[in-house]
Amino acid sequence: MSAGVPPSSTGSVQLDAIKQTAAAADPTKPQGIALYSRFAFAGAVCCSVTHGAFTPVDVVKTRIQLDPVTYNRGLIGGFRQVIASEGAGAVWTGFGPTAAGYFLQGAFKFGGYEFFKQQSINMLGYETASNNRTAVYLASSACAEFIADIALCPLEATRIRLVSEPTFANGLVGGFAKIMKNEGVGAFYSGFGPILFKQVPYTMAKFVVFEKVNETVYQYVDKKSASNGKQTAINLGSGLIAGFAAALVSQPADTMLSKINKTKGLPGEGTTSRLIKIAGELGLRGSYAGIGARLFMVGGLTAGQFAIYGDIKKALGATGGVEIAK
């Protein structure tokens, strides 16, 4: 990923391949597990910190999605409504499962993206991968997100239940245990279909748009002379644009996920039938309820994630791996 300074292109794909392979094989740089564990740690921290910090926005966004009749005054108005009726602490409901869930998810998402991208390069060869890098970005991010969602889904289900039912439990451990006891393991994955439907397109858009914007910017900015501060600023800007694109692509599934995790299904009602029912009730307009709050949230999240990820990678010396950006 070009979260650090992308490689300088020689203008020849063949020469770039030799240059990048030699750089990746540098014995002074982390390799193998040592390298990918650094990627995973950087991804875990950037996702946990950003999602945790945006918990209040997520609480209001979820309320708007679940009860648009009551919470119909936009993001700022929604904050005022929640605080007025439940107190200031209510906007931090679900902080525990959010921080924990996205720590796990971030590790698999960012670490997995770097891993699957490298496997694609190994399988296709540098020249083919570079010439088809958009497809490599899309496939790598989709594979990584699928694995990440297996880890995220139980904690996301707990978070939504805590936000939608403030009296349900006293935090992550209590909420998790109550769902497990009363509804079984399957309840944690009732939203797995919607979370894939939401997160996979979201992540694909997030990574490919970030990579493309980052690559475009570095066509006009000297990569070698760019300061650390400038690199961080470029990552912030690229991440903001990527976040807006990802939010628009994934908003309908995000709304459906909130709805399906709000309550238990009827006896004998499968996940697919519930999704069809919810989609019919929402319609196109309803599926974009809370989009203003989510654009603000996801744009800020994604900008922060790529900035933090790039800085932690540099701090840990995780600069190995072969890059295909031109």
Side-chain angles (χ1 to χ4, degrees):
M1 182 193 307
S2 48
V5 179
S8 299
S9 176
T10 63
S12 166
V13 176
Q14 290 84 358
L15 289 177
D16 285 345
I18 296 171
K19 178 181 175 182
Q20 286 299 301
T21 301
D26 185 346
T28 64
K29 296 180 179 180
Q31 304 289 325
I33 294 176
L35 176 62
Y36 290 105
S37 63
R38 285 168 167 79
F39 290 150
F41 179 75
V45 172
C46 78
C47 286
S48 183
V49 168
T50 52
H51 277 278
F54 273 82
T55 295
V57 178
D58 204 19
V59 167
V60 175
K61 182 267 298 180
T62 302
R63 295 291 179 86
I64 292 171
Q65 290 174 325
L66 295 177
D67 190 2
V69 175
T70 301
Y71 296 94
N72 58 3
R73 304 175 189 174
L75 178 60
I76 303 301
F79 269 112
R80 291 173 177 165
Q81 285 178 279
V82 172
I83 292 171
S85 61
E86 302 171 42
V91 296
W92 290 101
T93 301
F95 173 80
T98 296
Y102 283 96
F103 186 89
L104 289 174
Q105 194 235 25
F108 287 111
K109 175 187 288 188
F110 282 84
Y113 176 70
E114 301 282 9
F115 174 79
F116 286 115
K117 187 170 68 171
Q118 182 63 66
Q119 299 315 302
S120 297
I121 295 170
N122 293 344
M123 181 175 64
L124 298 172
Y126 183 92
E127 184 173 356
T128 301
S130 181
N131 290 335
N132 298 278
R133 58 192 178 281
T134 299
V136 170
Y137 298 150
L138 290 171
S140 300
S141 57
C143 291
E145 186 58 47
F146 180 85
I147 295 172
D149 287 343
I150 295 173
L152 173 65
C153 203
L155 293 159
E156 182 70 355
T158 304
R159 180 196 70 80
I160 291 175
R161 188 67 63 86
L162 291 172
V163 172
S164 62
E165 300 178 38
T167 60
F168 180 73
N170 295 319
L172 170 59
V173 176
F176 193 95
K178 189 172 182 179
I179 294 174
M180 174 70 80
K181 179 181 178 181
N182 295 341
E183 303 171 42
V185 176
F188 291 120
Y189 287 94
S190 64
F192 188 60
I195 209 171
L196 286 178
F197 184 48
K198 164 195 166 185
Q199 287 292 132
V200 172
Y202 163 87
T203 299
M204 292 170 73
K206 170 179 172 176
F207 278 105
V208 76
V209 172
F210 174 83
E211 295 277 16
K212 289 297 186 181
V213 173
N214 213 248
E215 184 177 326
T216 300
V217 170
Y218 278 113
Q219 291 177 356
Y220 301 95
V221 175
D222 183 18
K223 304 166 188 177
K224 294 181 180 179
S225 63
S227 65
N228 287 338
K230 181 176 285 189
Q231 292 173 38
T232 300
I234 290 171
N235 288 339
L236 277 168
S238 302
L240 184 65
I241 295 171
F244 287 156
L248 290 170
V249 166
S250 61
Q251 175 66 14
D254 184 66
T255 303
M256 293 174 69
L257 179 64
S258 294
K259 291 284 188 181
I260 202 169
N261 279 319
K262 181 181 179 181
T263 56
K264 295 188 292 184
L266 298 173
E269 186 178 30
T271 300
T272 302
S273 61
R274 290 180 69 192
L275 288 175
I276 294 172
K277 179 181 177 181
I278 291 170
E281 292 172 349
L282 287 171
L284 181 61
R285 183 173 181 178
S287 67
Y288 276 88
I291 186 60
R294 193 155 185 268
L295 281 170
F296 173 76
M297 175 183 166
V298 175
L301 278 172
T302 308
Q305 284 173 9
F306 280 115
I308 294 170
Y309 181 68
D311 288 348
I312 293 178
K313 275 186 20 172
K314 284 183 287 186
L316 296 176
T319 56
V322 178
E323 284 294 350
I324 52 176
K326 292 185 178 179

